[in-house]
Every structure is written in C-alpha cells, then in structure tokens.
Amino acid sequence: QNRPLFDSSVLVTAKLLKATPGRLTYDLLPGTALSQLGDTGLPAWRYLADAWPHLARTDVTDLPRHEPADEAAVLDRWLAQARAAGTLTGLGFANLTEHIVAATAHAVKALATGSGAKVLTHRDLHDGQLLWDDRNLALLDLDTVCLAEPALDLGNLAAHVDLMKQTSRLGPAAHAEIRSLLADAARALSATPDRLGVYHRAACLRIALVHSFRPRSRAWLPDWIEACLTPSDND
C-alpha cells in the first residue's frame, strides 16, 4: 500500500523503519494498552467506537478476503489443537470436551448461515492491540489486515471486553457502556445484531480454547467456559 490503510489522522499505526529477511522493524507507538487501563480507558473506547465506522473502509479491494468459513476454520483448528493436547481436562466439568465440541459446531454453523458486506478489517482486534495516550489512539499488528464482515472485529472486541470484566480489569458500568458503544458501531456499519452475536460467541469460544493452553488462566477459565456453554439470545 502506498498510503496507510487506516486514516492516519484518526488512528496512529507504526511506520516500517527497516525490512530484512525474516525481520521487520517498526517505530515505537505511544500510549498504554486498553487492556491495562481498565475503567480509565473509557475515553479511548468512546473515541474508537465513534471512529471505527469511518476507519473500516469499503474502498480497499486488494486485500485477502476472510470469509465466515475461514473464521469457522480458525475455531475448528483451535478445538482440534486443544483436544489433541488434552488442555480441556481438569477444569471441573463433566464431559467438557463433548460440550465444547457441540458449542463449536453450533458456532461454526451459525457463521455459515450468512455473510454481510466486506470492510477493511484488522482480524485480531482486541484490547491489547489498542494504545491510548489521552489524546491519540494507536493500533498494533497489521499483519492480519483483510476484508471481512464488520461483525468480526467488533464481535472479537466485545468478547475481549467481556474478558476484561471477567478478570476484574473492567467494572460493570464501564463494561456495559463499552458493549453499547460497540453495538452502536456495528449498526453504523450495517452489521446486524445477529451477526455481531454470532462472531461474539465464536470469539468467546476461541478465547476459551486459546487460554486452555495457559496455566495462569485457570483461575477464571471455568467461569468463562460456563458462560460460553450457556445459550445466548442469538441461539
């Protein structure tokens, strides 16, 4: 790309300083990750929700397309890896693997039931990728940028906001406001509540599978999995 994919007057992204075989060097971005700011990061979330519908442009055509089937394949791959490694054992659930398999199959089927218009998408958008310095919002790791449904990024963000609340990094009032802001952004991008819910549920399951490999997550993972296995309004 000859110009920044995301509007540089709205969102700061790193400039490539040096490229050598096997190594890319970027400049250092300012700010603190929203994952660390908790409730004090609310101004950044408000800024993001207002800006994102304009940043998720539709005039980019020369990027890879990430279809619902591709997202389903990502979820299936994490499930296969967790089953092979046995990371779903010892979490205090009877027949957990079978329940996760069923929930994943339901999410995969739901992903395949529809597909909206494609927009510029980060594809790994979460609270650790966004930096705030009280004035500017910066975005990390653009190597996964593609064209996909707007519900993908916003559903993933919503799941990680839920995780912030689950792990006591975000209070209930701030959590509710941010989830409402993300729903507003989804509507501005013509993503239906159903599609946002589908991608949110898939992201929640993926988070459970990813964190099943991380011993430090065991303190909160059972409660997270229980929530994942509870039918939602979109089921």
Side-chain angles (χ1 to χ4, degrees), residues 81-175:
Q81 291 172 346
R83 295 183 72 181
T87 60
L88 297 175
T89 61
L91 290 169
F93 292 91
N95 304 315
L96 175 59
T97 298
E98 290 80 358
H99 290 309
I100 291 286
V101 168
T104 299
H106 189 280
V108 165
K109 182 179 179 181
L111 283 167
T113 58
S115 180
K118 303 297 188 293
V119 299
L120 179 62
T121 300
H122 183 276
R123 201 168 76 77
D124 189 24
L125 192 61
H126 58 76
D127 50 313
Q129 300 279 32
L130 293 156
L131 308 179
W132 179 248
D133 66 357
D134 294 325
R135 185 178 62 181
N136 298 304
L137 189 67
L139 179 62
L140 302 174
D141 297 345
L142 301 184
D143 55 300
T144 56
V145 169
C146 63
L147 297 174
E149 290 184 70
L152 190 157
D153 272 347
L154 293 170
N156 195 52
L157 266 181
H160 281 85
V161 170
D162 290 353
L163 183 57
M164 290 180 72
K165 179 175 180 286
Q166 178 79 35
T167 53
S168 301
R169 291 177 290 125
L170 194 67
H175 170 263

Side-chain angles (χ1 to χ4, degrees), residues 14-36:
K15 296 180 177 63
L16 180 62
L17 302 177
K18 185 178 181 181
T20 58
R23 183 182 180 87
L24 298 175
T25 304
Y26 290 89
D27 63 346
L28 185 65
L29 292 177
T32 302
L34 298 194
S35 58
Q36 300 175 34

Side-chain angles (χ1 to χ4, degrees), residues 93-104 201 204-205 208 221-232 235:
F93 292 91
N95 304 315
L96 175 59
T97 298
E98 290 80 358
H99 290 309
I100 291 286
V101 168
T104 299
R201 190 160 180 80
C204 287
L205 285 165
L221 189 55
D223 287 340
W224 181 262
I225 289 175
E226 185 174 1
C228 286
L229 297 178
T230 302
S232 70
D235 289 336

Side-chain angles (χ1 to χ4, degrees), residues 9-71:
S9 68
V10 178
L11 189 69
V12 180
T13 55
K15 296 180 177 63
L16 180 62
L17 302 177
K18 185 178 181 181
T20 58
R23 183 182 180 87
L24 298 175
T25 304
Y26 290 89
D27 63 346
L28 185 65
L29 292 177
T32 302
L34 298 194
S35 58
Q36 300 175 34
L37 290 176
D39 290 21
T40 64
L42 265 175
W45 288 103
R46 293 167 184 151
Y47 181 99
L48 174 68
D50 182 62
W52 196 254
H54 309 288
L55 293 166
R57 299 175 6 235
T58 58
D59 62 335
V60 182
T61 59
D62 56 345
L63 288 174
R65 296 174 67 89
H66 188 79
E67 302 291 347
D70 299 317
E71 188 64 12

